[in-house]
Amino acid sequence: MRIAVINPNSTQSMTDKIAATARAVCAPGVEIEAHSAKGAPISIEGHYDEAMAVPRLLDQVRAAEERRVDAIVVACFDDPGIGACREIATGPVVGLCEAAVKAASMIATSFTVVTTLPRSAPIIEELVRRYGLDHQCRRVRAAAIPVLALEEPGSNARQLVRDEILRAIEEDRCEAVVLGCAGMSDLVDWLSEETGIPVIDGVAAATKFAEALVGARLKTSKIGAYATPNAK
Amino acid sequence: MRIAVINPNSTQSMTDKIAATARAVCAPGVEIEAHSAKGAPISIEGHYDEAMAVPRLLDQVRAAEERRVDAIVVACFDDPGIGACREIATGPVVGLCEAAVKAASMIATSFTVVTTLPRSAPIIEELVRRYGLDHQCRRVRAAAIPVLALEEPGSNARQLVRDEILRAIEEDRCEAVVLGCAGMSDLVDWLSEETGIPVIDGVAAATKFAEALVGARLKTSKIGAYATPNAK
Amino acid sequence: MRIAVINPNSTQSMTDKIAATARAVCAPGVEIEAHSAKGAPISIEGHYDEAMAVPRLLDQVRAAEERRVDAIVVACFDDPGIGACREIATGPVVGLCEAAVKAASMIATSFTVVTTLPRSAPIIEELVRRYGLDHQCRRVRAAAIPVLALEEPGSNARQLVRDEILRAIEEDRCEAVVLGCAGMSDLVDWLSEETGIPVIDGVAAATKFAEALVGARLKTSKIGAYATPNAK
Amino acid sequence: MRIAVINPNSTQSMTDKIAATARAVCAPGVEIEAHSAKGAPISIEGHYDEAMAVPRLLDQVRAAEERRVDAIVVACFDDPGIGACREIATGPVVGLCEAAVKAASMIATSFTVVTTLPRSAPIIEELVRRYGLDHQCRRVRAAAIPVLALEEPGSNARQLVRDEILRAIEEDRCEAVVLGCAGMSDLVDWLSEETGIPVIDGVAAATKFAEALVGARLKTSKIGAYATPNAK
Amino acid sequence: MRIAVINPNSTQSMTDKIAATARAVCAPGVEIEAHSAKGAPISIEGHYDEAMAVPRLLDQVRAAEERRVDAIVVACFDDPGIGACREIATGPVVGLCEAAVKAASMIATSFTVVTTLPRSAPIIEELVRRYGLDHQCRRVRAAAIPVLALEEPGSNARQLVRDEILRAIEEDRCEAVVLGCAGMSDLVDWLSEETGIPVIDGVAAATKFAEALVGARLKTSKIGAYATPNAK
Amino acid sequence: MRIAVINPNSTQSMTDKIAATARAVCAPGVEIEAHSAKGAPISIEGHYDEAMAVPRLLDQVRAAEERRVDAIVVACFDDPGIGACREIATGPVVGLCEAAVKAASMIATSFTVVTTLPRSAPIIEELVRRYGLDHQCRRVRAAAIPVLALEEPGSNARQLVRDEILRAIEEDRCEAVVLGCAGMSDLVDWLSEETGIPVIDGVAAATKFAEALVGARLKTSKIGAYATPNAK
């Protein structure tokens, strides 16, 4: 089985980190290809960045389809362009937010999402509602750090994320925490230990759910909204 | 007051039709600029077309902002890229679906949406739910016509739309009908007469709502999700 | 175009203030008639006041219909008797809460409502839920001032409203604020300046939305719940 | 215990029928007073009739309070003026729709409401949603009979109601049926026998629930929305 | 009329307390039988205890049916096994949570539930959502006391419950409080006095609602999900 | 990795079929243990059967925990006792309905569930709503066959299921179909071919999701509702 993990931004260090996470969790015999969306913004912080990144993400999806991958992971927590990807993909396309919150809902009765920037919180709130899990989501919190601070060696970003999780446990009475940014995927083990609560990383969740859907022999439905785009 | 009405596809005849509708309804003293999204697909039929159109739509929004327009109408019923437009706009940005269903909800207790292609119906259903009006929306119906058939002189598209509205009245017990495609905006008077029910066109609704928001001196909020994109 | 703005209470100073607001925002060529609901309570503070005011409001609607106005604004934030007004009106009937929250939802992803009395908060919460916007409404707050304090020259009511808005920004993470009382309509400019956030006044929003619906040639649907009352 | 059952319309034959139903179901020692809302419309068919009836209903509630009744039943399925009644009442105030659908939800997983006129269906749909039971309500159906036809000896109204119930069982897969008009309360036994499904009459349900709330020593909360009206 | 009140746990002192409450509120002529679920856990604190208790609860329901009781109250606030009970019961089966929150929703626009253990709060939140009343429920709070502490003479459990109610009034702006444990039923009068807010006990509410449903001649629907179990 | 797949009923032929499905889809290196719930009913057709089966299911979960399995699949589409299982399990516990509908929601915008008996449909409708996916579920249909008919060699059960799926495609406009009974798991390939639509089997979905959660190193949260049961 081959899964293409596509980082919709163009920061290679983040793609490398995502690839490492995906490879660490995938089953024996699963091959992970990781790609940056060349030409996309260096980080996705809001709707505009998303919109500019999606055509470049679709370039990568198209290329992956030509290589006949079995599934695609869109490795950004805002789940940009998922519907468009599903129209041109054959196998399943899984987004980080969708996978992570659906995973959270199976191991806890409630969860809080901790993301980077305040401006991303309303986007995630809308996604969670779209996925029907607003009743299990206690709150979407922002640790107030720019996405790329997670890539800087000396930054205090990881401490800020941990502190926000500790506040979430205290104030939100949540039973699990979802990390709301792909760039946090290398922190998940440390954060789980520091906080003593299940911490869910979207990269791992999406990779495993993609694997699961392929393993269950499921493909994207082609008889409705996700049909191949009409020729122009 | 100046309103930029932007057709996110590149079919000029549709832009012209939309401009005519907007000009027919705007208040005295309001100037309508109409633009096609050059380089975008010729029609928007699904998520993929949407995704490819949005960066071209944003080009037009950016240009309109430089011309200091007061508001922007995104003239496609799938409301593509609205969040991204709002991040780079100063004044209000109004989408056709959002305006039309909110208008419908103020003149009727229930409505049905009649769109072109079946593949667009789930996209509209999701929008209606996002706008919180699923409880007033009886059904989203497709007349099973390609978007551009509405541009062809001899096509029977208008009859198909009328017949679908008549079925909606009979089967859905709806009190109003919303036209689910910008390309239907020239049919609204004829359809109202033929069916005897309020028929709501998104182009007219969005133009008037944009005008209304500007008139009420409202601008897009810049302290959260719609803040100006972070510099990259 | 002629719009009747009807204050469902009988306090003329409030009607005058509402009329001034409506006239300040209406488009060229729009004529605003403003009327108090003679015989109604002097202010609407709860369901009971509402119930007593509605028949007097309907007197004014009936009279306005005879004068063949194009639309009606019911100028109270509790949206009293809107359904009944729609049954006897030909054109659109717009309430303040409905217009204001629908306007807010188009310029911000979330909003808080700031009203006068605590007893009105649950009424507004129910309205917001009825209009399907509870997922965008952070909270309904009361500044704990009687409605008519807004009419008294020396009162500190405006300061209390401003302080409540500042608390809303801080505690609710809202992107806009809706003023939950018609009597606050003259404060909107001052409050916007003081707080730096879009502040939405229902009188302006409803007047402009009424204008918009008429401009889009929409009338109240007469084939269902808003049909003319059955003769008795 | 004394319960005032108030018919918000002025048709005495309907009040008599309602009184008979309430007396047939009340517990030993419960006294039922039945009153017509003198001066109200002869039947309530839509929002307008409701609005005109409510002040007359409130006259009766005020009088009942002076007689120190223990609870009030508002005997119209549209639940007119319930909030206003609760503000001036001390004990519980129960509406027919609220009681009937909450009763239905305890004996069946789903129900359909069968009312008289099509124009009442959207009003009931909104009430059911307000009470949070839309997920258990399969459909609101109208038998297409005027309210007062139920009072005419020779009319075929009862047959039409039965036929609509039979259609509901067949088409809606409902497990119970709620009668959506106070004027149907004398048909409940016959309809239960004819259809073999639990048929719920609002008059009986509301009377018993009023009795239940009083018996559990509950009164209307006076610390929020249902506080006594502010003096004017 | 005979109502079987069944305590799904096996603590007889709690059964006695529940029986006393039920007898104190039932109408003249109603006979209350109270039974412990012999062999069940001594208290129900979570899903596991619930699951182990339900077959023993069903033993009691089966026995009660043989004695031809008219209705059954399942006297635990988690509403365990209600669906199963309804399948083998003829008359209505009423759970404490369902009755209490539906009662609360008729005397107040909002309520808070105060239960014993934090682990029960998510269970109750899910029940409240299932019953469609999450929009009226401000919060589910836990006073952090084990269920059986309510049975111990010298414990400070009652003070903790009162303090939690006082916090609910202050912080949640609720208009009523629902006691989220059958073991609190003897505290209801004292708590009402101490807090000055309507306090709703599930045992009283469920007993009265069972009485009400029987009095309205309603039985559990047998044509769908609550049909008699298929023979095995 | 070791996954215990537990059939909560006691029919060994169904357990064998379920085991075969789970083994056919699991990743290399995953060991599937399959167990029947000895002493449970022979099939689960409704709430009562569920309630009687759960303690026997918990016996198997307890035993599996002692054998230190990594995850548990509860192989019945009604998701019986999931909360209780999660309290006594260390790793993830996955139910068929939850896994199948969450899988469906990732490959299609809408789905219909096809189950066996009409009495199970409302149970599944409630589960789907609890999981927040009612907006993507077009309908829950019953093919009107007893659960064990699926085990009988010569029965026409499979044809009835296929015909119901074909009706779902035609009437519900669904994009995928979920099989609403564990006993249908061997039909999934044949049904996919016959109907040309993604057909989702809960056994495969739950097995793969259990594998995915373990692979992502997630365990059941122990700080809230799923904490280990309190000692009695």
Side-chain angles (χ1 to χ4, degrees), chain D residues 9 29 110 208:
Chain D
N9 74 39
S110 65
K208 294 304 294 181

Side-chain angles (χ1 to χ4, degrees), chain C residues 105-122:
Chain C
S105 70
M106 288 192 260
I107 60 162
T109 67
S110 66
F111 58 86
T112 280
V113 179
V114 174
T115 189
T116 49
L117 289 175
R119 71 180 304 150
S120 296

Side-chain angles (χ1 to χ4, degrees), chain E residues 79-96:
Chain E
D79 289 356
I82 295 287
C85 295
R86 285 178 180 156
E87 289 190 16
I88 59 173
T90 308
V93 177
V94 182
L96 263 53

Side-chain angles (χ1 to χ4, degrees), chain E residues 41-49 51-52 54-55 58 62 83-84 87-88 117 119 122 126 129-130 132 224-230 232, chain F residues 41-49 51-52 54-55 58 62 83-84 87-88 117 119 122 126 129-130 132 224-230 232:
Chain E
I42 53 170
S43 62
I44 297 187
E45 299 174 320
H47 307 86
Y48 181 83
D49 291 353
M52 298 311 284
V54 169
L58 292 169
R62 234 180 281 107
E87 289 190 16
I88 59 173
L117 289 175
R119 70 181 304 151
E126 187 176 302
R129 180 171 178 266
R130 189 190 305 178
Y226 298 144
T228 303
N230 295 4
K232 298 272 128 134
Chain F
I42 53 171
S43 61
I44 297 187
E45 299 173 321
H47 308 86
Y48 181 83
D49 291 353
M52 298 310 283
V54 169
L58 292 169
R62 235 180 280 108
E87 289 190 16
I88 60 172
L117 289 176
R119 71 181 301 151
E126 187 177 300
R129 180 171 177 268
R130 190 190 305 179
Y226 299 145
T228 303
N230 296 5
K232 300 273 128 136

Side-chain angles (χ1 to χ4, degrees), chain E residues 106-182:
Chain E
M106 287 191 260
I107 59 162
T109 67
S110 65
F111 59 87
T112 279
V113 179
V114 175
T115 188
T116 49
L117 289 175
R119 70 181 304 151
S120 296
I123 293 177
I124 295 171
E125 288 172 339
E126 187 176 302
L127 286 174
V128 171
R129 180 171 178 266
R130 189 190 305 178
Y131 301 141
L133 292 173
D134 36 330
H135 64 291
Q136 291 188 261
C137 181
R138 291 286 187 204
R139 187 164 159 188
V140 179
R141 288 168 170 271
I145 45 176
V147 169
L148 295 183
L150 293 162
E151 305 302 296
E152 291 163 19
S155 99
N156 67 337
R158 57 196 293 158
Q159 281 74 24
L160 292 172
V161 173
R162 179 198 54 196
D163 294 352
E164 198 66 36
I165 294 178
L166 294 174
R167 269 194 292 278
I169 295 172
E170 179 72 15
E171 298 174 11
D172 307 349
R173 294 158 295 129
C174 60
E175 296 177 10
V177 162
V178 170
L179 299 180
C181 179

Side-chain angles (χ1 to χ4, degrees), chain B residues 1-8 18-19 21-27 30-33 70-80 82 86 91-104 106 131 178-179 181-182 185 188 199-215, chain C residues 102-103 106-107 208-209 211-218:
Chain B
M1 186 189 314
R2 204 142 38 87
I3 298 175
V5 178
I6 307 175
N7 172 10
I18 289 166
T21 298
R23 283 178 191 127
V25 299
C26 68
V30 174
E31 186 188 337
I32 301 293
E33 314 182 339
D70 296 290
I72 286 163
V73 167
V74 177
C76 168
F77 202 82
D78 291 357
D79 288 356
I82 295 286
R86 284 178 181 157
V93 178
V94 183
L96 264 52
C97 178
E98 186 165 11
V101 298
K102 287 181 179 170
M106 286 191 262
Y131 301 142
V178 170
L179 299 179
C181 179
S185 77
V188 68
V199 176
I200 295 147
D201 160 48
V203 176
T207 303
K208 295 304 294 181
F209 273 25
E211 215 184 272
L213 293 169
V214 173
Chain C
K102 287 180 180 171
M106 288 192 260
I107 60 162
K208 295 304 294 182
F209 273 26
E211 213 184 272
L213 294 169
V214 173
R217 291 198 284 277
L218 294 173

